[in-house]
Amino acid sequence: QLQLQESGPGLVEPSETLSLTCTVSGDSISTTSYYWGWVRQPPGKGLEWIGSVYYSGSTYYNPSLKSRVTVSMDMSNNHFSLILNSVTAADTALYSCARQGYRSYYMDVWGKGTTVTVSS
Amino acid sequence: DIQLTQSPSLLSASVGDRVTITCRASQGISSYLAWYQQKPGKVPKLLIYGASTLESGVPSRFSGSGSGTEFILTISSLQPEDLATYYCQQVTSYPLTFGPGTKVDIK
């Protein structure tokens, strides 16, 4: 059974770097059939796609975050990661990782999410 | 970027009611649309993909229709456990975008 689990600091100081990892169990992230992506949701607001990565290393990012975000894969540890630089209070959100179809792009399996607060 | 709008933003209905939510895209996206259900305190759950294909395990009271720029999510008989916010997502091209959500309340 496929499971995704986010991990990382719950509190990040303004101007610092947010770093999260999504550990995948029950399947290999090196599959050709899926992308692996990140979505966030600020408190009381809607969903925002952040970025996605494919086993080949190809990445796609939300233009609104592109200058600050990196999504990468670690196949040896079967996880993928999110780095967001120069964070502000506006980056406070529930961050979720998800499996995303290669041809269809919909997100069919999600982690439980992790809350990140940006504050000093 | 493809923009999505949803209507209504808030819907209050009784158990057993038929409920419809509309999602409109700023340009044609064929059938490349997904619907998600997000219950309070939880992450989204995929309900429908390809505009009308029900994800495995999703109750048959949920259905989706539409293509091009207008799509509809229907709950044929609202149940108490359907209390949630529903989001559409276009999956035709990057950047992936979500609609603003429709919150469904039970009267």
Side-chain angles (χ1 to χ4, degrees):
Chain A
Q1 177 187 354
L2 179 69
Q3 291 187 320
L4 284 68
Q5 177 68 58
E6 304 88 351
S7 59
L11 181 65
V12 181
E13 293 199 356
S15 79
E16 297 296 314
T17 296
L18 181 160
S19 181
L20 296 175
T21 294
C22 181
T23 300
V24 179
S25 58
D27 195 6
S28 171
I29 64 170
S30 61
T31 176
T32 59
S33 300
Y34 297 101
Y35 286 92
W36 305 91
W38 291 93
V39 172
R40 72 179 184 177
Q41 183 174 37
K45 296 190 177 180
L47 303 170
E48 180 180 36
W49 171 73
I50 300 171
S52 303
V53 62
Y54 191 54
Y55 88 102
S56 64
S58 296
T59 51
Y60 297 87
Y61 298 124
N62 191 318
S64 67
L65 299 169
K66 189 172 184 177
S67 63
R68 299 193 291 131
V69 68
T70 302
V71 179
S72 60
M73 302 177 77
D74 180 345
M75 293 187 203
S76 61
N77 290 300
N78 214 46
H79 70 227
F80 60 106
S81 300
L82 167 69
I83 293 177
L84 183 65
N85 298 313
S86 305
V87 298
T88 69
D91 296 309
T92 293
L94 176 69
Y95 286 77
S96 303
C97 58
R99 186 178 76 170
Q100 177 189 326
Y102 172 65
R103 295 188 184 278
S104 56
Y105 296 171
Y106 58 82
M107 295 169 152
D108 64 343
V109 182
W110 295 65
K112 293 188 188 310
T114 187
T115 297
V116 178
T117 300
V118 178
S119 175
S120 55
Chain B
D1 300 3
I2 297 172
Q3 308 301 319
L4 299 176
T5 59
Q6 288 183 235
S7 59
S9 56
L10 175 63
L11 186 160
S12 186
S14 300
V15 172
D17 283 353
R18 181 181 182 88
V19 165
T20 61
I21 299 168
T22 300
C23 175
R24 292 186 174 87
S26 59
Q27 63 189 75
I29 58 172
S30 185
S31 297
Y32 294 103
L33 189 99
W35 288 98
Y36 298 86
Q37 175 193 64
Q38 186 178 29
K39 294 186 176 181
K42 302 293 188 181
V43 298
K45 171 189 171 184
L46 178 67
L47 291 179
I48 287 168
Y49 59 92
S52 61
T53 302
L54 209 61
E55 173 73 339
S56 176
V58 173
S60 59
R61 64 180 180 273
F62 291 93
S63 64
S65 63
S67 67
T69 61
E70 186 161 321
F71 302 86
I72 295 175
L73 172 69
T74 300
I75 308 173
S76 61
S77 178
L78 190 68
Q79 299 302 302
E81 60 266 32
D82 299 335
L83 168 74
T85 300
Y86 294 83
Y87 294 92
C88 56
Q89 181 198 30
Q90 67 82 15
V91 292
T92 190
S93 64
Y94 289 110
L96 306 180
T97 49
F98 291 91
T102 294
K103 184 175 181 180
V104 174
D105 199 12
I106 310 293
K107 280 183 184 175

